Amino acid sequence: MEVALWVVLILMLGGALVIWRWLSGSRRSTELADARAEAQRWYERLGGQLMNLHGDAPAVRQALADAGERYNAAGSQLEQAGTPHQFALARETALEGLAYIRAARTAMGIDPGPELPPLAAARGAGMLTKEREVNVQGQTYRAGPQPGNQTPYYYPGGNWQGRPVPAGWYSTPWWKTALGTGAGVLGGILIADALFSPAFADPGYGYEAGYQEGFNDGQDQGGDQGGDQGGDQGQDFGDQGQDFAGQGDYSGGYGGGDFGGDFGGGDFGGGDFGGGGDW
């Protein structure tokens, strides 16, 4: 009897294992098919846009050339992809190509088209909001939010050497020429510092405005909280409440002015780390 029971249990476990494997395989097949279809959809959209756009302006030609490079790269990735992650990489490449398509349409003065899903590589990089011109090692570099004869190279935003490079238009694709080692990397670092570091001036991503706004918000919030708390404590302790109420104002000054401003808004709320806002 016991042997028969064990046999039944083994058969049941074996059947459950077979079903679990089948369900897991079916789920993986579905995920793979979905990832392939998603990547293919953006790839085909990129190809259609490339076929229908033409322009003679330097900024248009350059943006279309970059979009064409991404189209070829995405096609190669699709041919070799065999996992959802690999198809996701192909999708990202196609989306990057479409970002260049939007840039080309902007340079042509026509509607850039619908918004695209955010690029993973550009998360937190922000966008240029003002024109910049710097001199590095005797050469002038320009950047700005709009295309022009002096800024024909579009960049959709990303990270280079661990630092964010905002989306915008540049006078030269220095991030490409600095992909090697040695002097190329050093030159790229100097250019990035000059263009974006606050030490060189307002980099054009709202640093001063964001800092001041965040500081004021933190100061108001800290002052209100400190004053209210001090006042309440003063009421509870009767005559001694005058002293505690005074300390409430005192804590309002320090809790809101210094600590509320610096941590609540200045450095972390709006100035430096305000969510990778616009540059």
Side-chain angles (χ1 to χ4, degrees):
M1 185 70 179
E2 292 181 357
V3 173
L5 181 60
W6 276 108
V7 170
V8 172
L9 289 175
I10 292 173
L11 291 175
M12 291 178 61
L13 289 174
L17 181 60
V18 170
I19 295 174
W20 177 81
R21 287 179 175 175
W22 179 82
L23 290 175
S24 298
S26 177
R27 183 171 61 252
R28 286 195 296 269
S29 297
T30 301
E31 292 175 354
L32 185 64
D34 290 344
R36 179 189 291 109
E38 177 73 0
Q40 188 71 33
R41 178 169 71 93
W42 292 110
Y43 173 71
E44 292 176 355
R45 178 174 168 182
L46 173 58
Q49 291 287 324
L50 279 171
M51 291 179 59
N52 296 321
L53 286 179
H54 306 280
D56 295 327
V60 177
R61 292 200 309 268
Q62 187 59 52
L64 290 178
D66 287 330
E69 290 180 0
R70 301 311 187 276
Y71 178 75
N72 293 334
S76 178
Q77 289 173 322
L78 279 172
E79 290 180 356
Q80 302 177 30
T83 66
H85 175 69
Q86 291 172 337
F87 281 114
L89 292 177
R91 172 187 179 272
E92 177 80 0
T93 302
L95 286 175
E96 190 172 322
L98 285 167
Y100 283 106
I101 290 292
R102 284 176 54 86
R105 294 175 66 93
T106 298
M108 295 170 66
I110 61 178
D111 184 2
E115 292 288 339
L116 298 171
L119 293 172
R123 187 175 295 116
M127 300 176 63
L128 287 170
T129 59
K130 62 183 294 186
E131 294 182 355
R132 295 282 290 148
E133 180 175 325
V134 297
N135 188 281
V136 179
Q137 296 179 331
Q139 185 172 350
T140 299
Y141 295 90
R142 299 178 178 86
Q146 298 296 328
N149 292 331
Q150 294 184 326
T151 52
Y153 294 93
Y154 179 74
Y155 186 67
N159 283 273
W160 180 83
Q161 295 291 319
R163 66 190 65 202
V165 177
W169 295 85
Y170 296 83
S171 59
T172 181
W174 53 266
W175 54 90
K176 291 183 180 180
T177 58
L179 289 179
T181 57
V185 172
L186 177 59
I189 291 174
L190 293 176
I191 296 169
D193 283 343
L195 283 172
F196 312 125
S197 175
F200 285 79
D202 177 16
Y205 63 93
Y207 172 79
E208 295 176 349
Y211 178 89
Q212 190 60 49
E213 181 180 356
F215 181 87
N216 291 337
D217 290 345
Q219 191 174 39
D220 293 341
Q221 182 178 2
D224 292 341
Q225 291 177 348
D228 293 343
Q229 183 176 0
D232 292 340
Q233 289 177 350
Q235 294 296 326
D236 294 338
F237 285 96
D239 295 337
Q240 295 179 357
Q242 297 299 322
D243 296 334
F244 283 95
Q247 292 181 9
D249 295 336
Y250 186 77
S251 70
Y254 282 83
D258 293 336
F259 296 104
D262 289 342
F263 289 90
D267 292 338
F268 289 90
D272 292 336
F273 298 96
D278 293 346
W279 291 66

